[in-house]
Amino acid sequence: MVFGALAATPLRPAFAQAPPRRAILISFDGFSEQRVREYADSLSAPVIWSMFHDGVCAESVRPAFPSVTPVGHASIYTGAYGNVNGVSASSNGALPLQTTTILDYIDGFSARSLRAEPIWIAAARQGKSVFGHFPTQAPQPPGYEPVTVPSPALDSARARAVATLARPNIAVVNMYNDLVAPARVVRSPAEMSWAFGDEGDSLRARVRDDSTVVVELARDPRRAVIVHLAPTDTTTPRGRALARFFSDPLRVDLARGRRTFVYFRLFELSHDRSRLLLYVSEARVIQANRPEVAAAYDDAVHGVPGNGGGRPMERGELGPRVQQGGDGSAEYRYMETVELVMRQFMRGTEWGWRTYHPELATDYFPYPDEALHTFLGYADPGTPNVSNAARANAARMLKRAYTMIDMRLEQMRRLASSEPNTRLFVTGEHGMRPAWLTFKPNVVLRTAGILRADSAGKVDLAHTQAAATRGGWISVNRVGRKGGIVSADSVDAVLARVERVLRAARDSSGKPIVTAIFRAGTPAGDSLGIGGPTGGDLYIGVAPGYYWGPVATGPMVDPLAFPHGEHGFPSTDFDMHPLGCMLEAGGIGKRIGEIRSIDFAPSVAEWLRISPPADARGRAVWR
Ligand SMILES: [Zn+2]
């Protein structure tokens, strides 16, 4: 072999012309096959249905534990569970251990909470072109925070991530870190002016005539949008423009060079103009790994709301819900706000695919999660005290939500098939179950003398051996943590007592509320990914109908204000399992067994012929 000759010879045509391999990895929040099959069918969701036939789909995916959104996504992207990647909860355990208490926490969605390399950084580091659309723990580099003292290994991992994110071959955008204003509803002329605090200009709405409202910026009234009155849209979203009765975007410039875009929808306007129902979408700021990426995204897409109007609907601001005697309008109005979110997400996806022509695209969609939180509690046949009308309506709305998810999946399939050698990986990060009761482990621990709290429920750590935290687990208050009182040789005895009193908790019919207990630091616990520096010591499973919270006052069990869908339960519970499919052109559909969320990043890496993310523990399952 003569090297000079090789260098002068073009690569063999078969290689030179082989198109590069590409991968799209999309997570639909809360997307499980179980709920699809309950609330959709092959007519209402044909693309999802065909995925089950022509995709290579797992029987189910064992998610991260606890099965909550930031934890699940971190496990998908890093190929490791929270005990390794550092994201253990939405309210994630704080570091370093010696200066934080067991009750301190940081936001599990923040990049700061991540202590491992996600796939989009791993791929870009290895030279792939990458577009990341709303991944959790992004677009900043992972925090790689030390457990106790600074570590050169973590410092160099962080420096490597910083250098990779500065490269031109990676673009990552996210708006979930910067919420300027939540969605709101304006009901009367008295409410027609509102400010973004010290963030930027205030907005002013005025009724122009019988069927239009004008919304303008106070400082720059030339910047205004017209909002036309239109009846609630009950037609199927397929085959028509999405969110078609929403206004154009109103751009609002904010402090520190930021900007947001707000959309308006006029559902009602009374003849005397004294009452109206004007929905204002939530205002978020697009962040990106480089400023020019965020600016280009904003110029093309004009903002993406992170969620629909679920909260305004729950507060009754879109009209009475069916369970309260409503005619279904409130629910359809909410679904229009979902259309707006979906349309903007789809625009962003198209823009990223066209602009960056990525070899790896990661994408996200906040549904069905938000719709299941909103409707599953009412729709599920097991939930007590739901009227027939409310149950039927909730099932109808879930069917509609899955039709929209079907359209979003159709978009992803179209993009994947627009380039040869592209694999589409589809998953979610948890399932969903109905809940109508809340269980308070801290009330049990308090009654047993394991925890002390004042009448307002504030935990007194100086007299507390163990507590349920906002993370969803129970932590022993060890010496070595700030405020810790339990010595190392007493930890096992405390945990044994905690386990005993929790198992003894009974509902009104005498049945146990705590149905399973998982211990960190055991082989079983380690394989589920619980514990680790930012996790807890003991995790629980609960009986059907129960959710839980860290409140230390009042009765042990409280009813929820209204039934909802919930997740966060043990990853061994089947109803927490999302789906997992791989689709490719010409692929032959088949089923593979249960896989784990940590298998996605290694599978994507293997397909792209790169090394898996630096801290991955999963394995490639689609060969
Ligand atoms: Zn979620």
Side-chain angles (χ1 to χ4, degrees), residues 28-30 67-70 73 109 364 369 373 429-432 567:
F28 290 83
D29 204 309
S67 49
V68 293
T69 302
H73 282 116
F109 285 96
Y364 171 71
D369 175 90
H373 278 300
E429 83 292 28
H430 55 71
M432 196 75 71
H567 54 90

Side-chain angles (χ1 to χ4, degrees), residues 21-322:
R21 289 185 170 190
R22 296 178 200 280
I24 301 174
L25 168 60
I26 180 161
S27 165
F28 290 83
D29 204 309
F31 198 13
S32 75
E33 187 168 345
Q34 178 190 16
R35 301 304 175 197
V36 170
R37 290 191 180 278
E38 286 174 5
Y39 296 104
D41 55 46
S42 60
L43 293 176
S44 65
V47 182
I48 299 174
W49 236 256
S50 71
M51 174 174 73
F52 293 144
H53 292 289
D54 55 10
V56 181
C57 294
E59 287 302 330
S60 75
V61 181
R62 199 180 80 209
F65 187 164
S67 49
V68 293
T69 302
V71 182
H73 282 116
S75 73
I76 292 166
Y77 297 139
T78 65
Y81 285 129
N83 55 347
V84 171
N85 72 37
V87 182
S88 300
S90 300
S91 298
N92 199 41
L95 296 174
L97 296 176
Q98 71 277 17
T99 59
T100 56
T101 75
I102 58 170
L103 302 177
D104 289 336
Y105 60 90
I106 69 164
D107 179 5
F109 285 96
S110 70
R112 191 187 140 195
S113 65
L114 191 60
R115 307 178 75 249
E117 185 183 51
I119 183 74
W120 65 88
I121 293 182
R125 170 171 59 80
Q126 296 174 71
K128 299 295 173 190
S129 55
V130 174
F131 177 58
H133 200 210
F134 306 121
T136 51
Q137 296 96 27
Q140 298 82 6
Y144 289 108
E145 293 199 337
V147 175
T148 50
V149 293
S151 131
L154 293 173
D155 290 344
S156 70
R158 193 185 313 108
R160 190 167 75 164
V162 169
T164 301
L165 285 167
R167 288 189 188 177
N169 63 317
I170 176 167
V172 181
V173 298
N174 191 8
M175 64 28 209
Y176 282 102
N177 300 318
D178 194 349
L179 174 67
V180 179
R184 59 183 292 151
V185 171
V186 175
R187 298 290 325 231
S188 84
E191 306 163 17
M192 301 243 306
S193 171
W194 63 98
F196 282 133
D198 12 337
E199 289 276 16
D201 211 343
S202 48
L203 302 184
R204 224 163 38 198
R206 59 189 162 81
V207 177
R208 196 175 71 172
D209 56 40
D210 275 358
S211 63
T212 47
V213 164
V214 177
V215 186
E216 61 195 19
L217 295 178
R219 267 183 246 148
D220 183 6
R222 285 163 307 163
R223 206 183 273 176
V225 290
I226 297 167
V227 198
H228 297 282
L229 178 67
T232 303
D233 203 344
T234 60
T235 64
T236 177
R238 212 186 283 281
R240 62 159 168 81
L242 293 169
R244 55 186 168 162
F245 299 132
F246 272 83
S247 72
D248 289 340
L250 182 62
R251 177 182 162 139
V252 185
D253 294 320
L254 305 169
R256 302 190 300 284
R258 289 140 64 242
R259 64 209 156 261
T260 190
F261 297 85
V262 190
Y263 293 81
F264 305 89
R265 171 72 172 94
L266 185 59
F267 288 106
E268 288 178 6
L269 179 59
S270 67
H271 267 307
D272 64 0
R273 302 180 185 183
S274 68
R275 284 174 300 109
L276 72 167
L277 203 168
L278 178 70
Y279 176 81
V280 184
S281 70
E282 67 172 30
R284 289 183 179 271
V285 176
I286 296 285
Q287 299 179 333
N289 59 317
R290 294 189 310 279
E292 69 272 19
V293 173
Y297 187 95
D298 276 342
D299 286 347
V301 181
H302 298 141
V304 185
N307 289 101
R311 288 286 146 77
M313 180 179 64
E314 286 170 5
R315 292 193 296 260
E317 294 170 3
L318 297 177
R321 295 193 64 174
V322 172

Side-chain angles (χ1 to χ4, degrees), residues 461-536:
L461 282 173
H463 299 94
T464 292
Q465 294 176 308
T469 73
R470 288 174 57 124
W473 56 68
I474 287 144
S475 283
V476 176
N477 191 21
R478 285 181 172 77
V479 169
R481 290 308 293 261
K482 186 180 169 192
I485 60 165
V486 177
S487 61
D489 57 1
S490 305
V491 169
D492 281 346
V494 170
L495 281 171
R497 250 193 100 206
V498 168
E499 187 162 342
R500 211 163 45 241
V501 297
L502 287 176
R503 282 196 190 280
R506 291 286 187 275
D507 71 11
S508 52
S509 68
K511 287 209 219 54
I513 296 169
V514 175
T515 52
I517 288 191
F518 304 83
R519 292 267 197 112
T522 61
D526 289 347
S527 76
L528 295 171
I530 59 175
T534 58

